[in-house]
Amino acid sequence: MSVLPQHGKENNQTNEALNTLLIVFMKSNTYNNMKTISILFIISLFINGAVTESVSVNIGFSITFHTNTVIQSDDVIEWSYGYSSELIAKLDRGSISLFDGSYGRFFNRVKLNYETGDLTIIDVRDRRVGDYNLQITGEKNTRQTFSVSGRGGYTGHVTSLTVMEGDSVRLDAGVPDAENYDVIRWRFENSPLAEIDRKTEIVSTHDERFRDRLELDRWSADLTITNITTDLSGLYEVKVDSNRGTHTIHQTYTVTVSDEVKSVSVMEGESLTLHIDIPIQIYDRTDWGFGPDELKPDSIQSLYRYGERFRGRLQKQTDGIRSLTITNITTEDSGVYQVRIIMGLCPQSIKKRFIVTVTARDGSSGVSLGGSCVGVLLVLVSSQIL
């Protein structure tokens, strides 16, 4: 009697030998020993061809699992999800079937390549993190599991960023363990931009418009664009291929570079309200800054460190309207005001600048907006709605 199933003619001899070994274990006095049971389990996985590979990816990124198999015309390929092996995609002799999954978690989020059988999961979220099981039935039977874990908060499939001209932009490659990936490629508007090839230890960049502006982190594979200009607005894409060619992690970014600066004039002693016509969403954060320098990630400390200048004169937004009000304004408050809006738990952000001129009651204007106009003062106004 055969204990293990037979998978393919080429495995018959191996199957018979392992079946014999299993029967010996089962008849031995040590069969109930946990170590022996573990050995049986490992042998069973081996003979069934089941291999589990762990994959870590940023939430919001997409991932493609590769079969790395030459698909035969009579092969049946099934992709399932979770411990219950819920069927999400099937390729049966050239015919593709896609399934939404329980609660519609895979609705419009699954693609299946009819030539290779590769499965793409678009926009990995918490509810789509877990085990993805591949089973190929045909001349050669194959089973494999990809165990996917996610990192970070939710982001959409295409991450949109709006930045000011002259700012620096850092685009995340999306892989917490980038050193385990051989080839990382960045593209701009579907043209090669930068890449890392760990096999050859080559880090290369392309496109003359980005000369001396690209910084490609060798370890994280994140791409930084410095001193960005409006002509560099567009679609950026990253693809990260695993060392064994079993999967690819990919993401796209839509970057908009704005040179918009709004000028505002106000009389000394009046109140000034700076409005932003963007609805507030759950978990959004709004950082306000005063001064020409770029807003820093640690600006949350600035309200307490430099608050004396505006103490008692700042009012944050109310009734869902993004705004900052400065009361009893003075000529010394003239200068550049910046705002950065972090859209939810993700890298999406929007930046705007205001040039404020305060005119004194005697008709004189405020301080110059030149390089020495103001010291850097960063003010955080938190706008979270829980």
Side-chain angles (χ1 to χ4, degrees), residues 276 278-288 295-301 316-317 322 338-351 379-386:
I276 309 171
I278 301 173
I280 297 175
Q281 304 295 330
I282 295 177
Y283 301 123
D284 283 1
R285 193 185 79 197
T286 306
D287 295 345
W288 284 92
L295 285 171
K296 305 299 182 183
D298 62 350
S299 60
I300 189 170
Q301 301 295 330
K316 61 182 181 181
Q317 61 273 7
R322 296 180 193 270
Q338 303 180 68
V339 61
R340 179 184 58 191
I341 305 166
I342 308 299
M343 307 294 288
L345 304 175
C346 62
Q348 300 183 45
S349 65
I350 296 175
K351 284 185 177 181
V379 180
L380 172 72
V381 180
S382 178
S383 59
Q384 295 183 352
I385 303 177
L386 302 178

Side-chain angles (χ1 to χ4, degrees), residues 21-22 25 33-45:
L21 180 59
L22 286 174
F25 274 126
N33 184 276
M34 291 302 296
K35 182 181 293 185
T36 305
I37 293 176
S38 298
I39 293 175
L40 293 178
F41 177 72
I42 293 172
I43 294 175
S44 176
L45 286 180

Side-chain angles (χ1 to χ4, degrees), residues 78-90 97-107 110 119 121 127-135:
E78 293 181 325
W79 287 94
S80 59
Y81 174 77
Y83 294 109
S84 61
S85 294
E86 177 184 27
L87 189 63
I88 59 175
K90 184 176 182 178
S97 300
L98 303 178
F99 306 90
D100 294 343
S102 58
Y103 306 104
R105 77 175 76 198
F106 292 104
F107 177 70
V110 175
L119 177 75
I121 304 299
R127 63 200 302 242
R128 289 188 280 273
V129 166
D131 290 344
Y132 291 84
N133 310 300
L134 165 66
Q135 180 167 327

Side-chain angles (χ1 to χ4, degrees), residues 272-278 280 286 288 314-326 339 341 354 381-383:
L272 170 67
T273 299
L274 303 177
H275 293 283
I276 309 171
D277 298 325
I278 301 173
I280 297 175
T286 306
W288 284 92
L314 294 179
Q315 297 175 5
K316 61 182 181 181
Q317 61 273 7
T318 59
D319 299 328
I321 300 175
R322 296 180 193 270
S323 64
L324 177 68
T325 298
I326 308 169
V339 61
I341 305 166
F354 301 85
V381 180
S382 178
S383 59

Side-chain angles (χ1 to χ4, degrees), residues 83-265:
Y83 294 109
S84 61
S85 294
E86 177 184 27
L87 189 63
I88 59 175
K90 184 176 182 178
L91 176 62
D92 189 350
R93 298 171 180 84
S95 178
I96 290 179
S97 300
L98 303 178
F99 306 90
D100 294 343
S102 58
Y103 306 104
R105 77 175 76 198
F106 292 104
F107 177 70
N108 284 340
R109 291 292 182 265
V110 175
K111 290 183 179 180
L112 189 63
N113 188 307
Y114 74 92
E115 293 181 343
T116 64
D118 294 351
L119 177 75
T120 297
I121 304 299
I122 301 170
D123 186 9
V124 174
R125 304 186 189 182
D126 290 334
R127 63 200 302 242
R128 289 188 280 273
V129 166
D131 290 344
Y132 291 84
N133 310 300
L134 165 66
Q135 180 167 327
I136 303 177
T137 305
E139 182 179 349
K140 293 183 179 181
N141 295 323
T142 301
R143 292 180 60 195
Q144 184 167 2
T145 296
F146 296 90
S147 183
V148 178
S149 60
R151 183 188 74 165
Y154 167 74
T155 63
H157 171 50
V158 176
T159 299
S160 299
L161 301 96
T162 301
V163 298
M164 297 300 300
E165 189 171 29
D167 286 345
S168 294
V169 181
R170 186 179 181 92
L171 305 178
D172 193 346
V175 282
D177 50 353
E179 68 276 4
N180 295 328
Y181 292 83
D182 277 344
V183 181
I184 298 98
R185 294 186 176 92
W186 284 93
R187 300 176 70 85
F188 172 64
E189 294 295 327
N190 208 31
S191 296
L193 180 60
E195 68 180 46
I196 297 176
D197 189 333
R198 299 194 190 282
K199 291 182 179 179
T200 60
E201 290 297 317
I202 294 177
V203 178
S204 55
T205 57
H206 311 272
D207 199 318
E208 287 299 315
R209 289 175 296 176
F210 292 87
R211 178 184 294 275
D212 300 325
R213 292 179 178 175
L214 293 183
E215 298 175 3
L216 187 58
D217 192 297
R218 179 181 294 271
W219 300 113
S220 70
D222 294 349
L223 181 71
T224 299
I225 308 167
T226 61
N227 191 26
I228 197 166
T229 55
T230 54
D231 63 314
L232 301 183
S233 297
L235 191 67
Y236 292 78
E237 181 182 16
V238 60
K239 286 190 176 181
V240 186
D241 294 317
S242 66
N243 294 356
R244 293 183 295 277
T246 56
H247 65 275
T248 300
I249 293 172
H250 41 104
Q251 176 64 298
T252 54
Y253 293 91
T254 300
V255 177
T256 302
V257 184
S258 174
D259 59 357
E260 177 187 2
V261 179
K262 186 174 182 179
S263 298
V264 181
S265 297

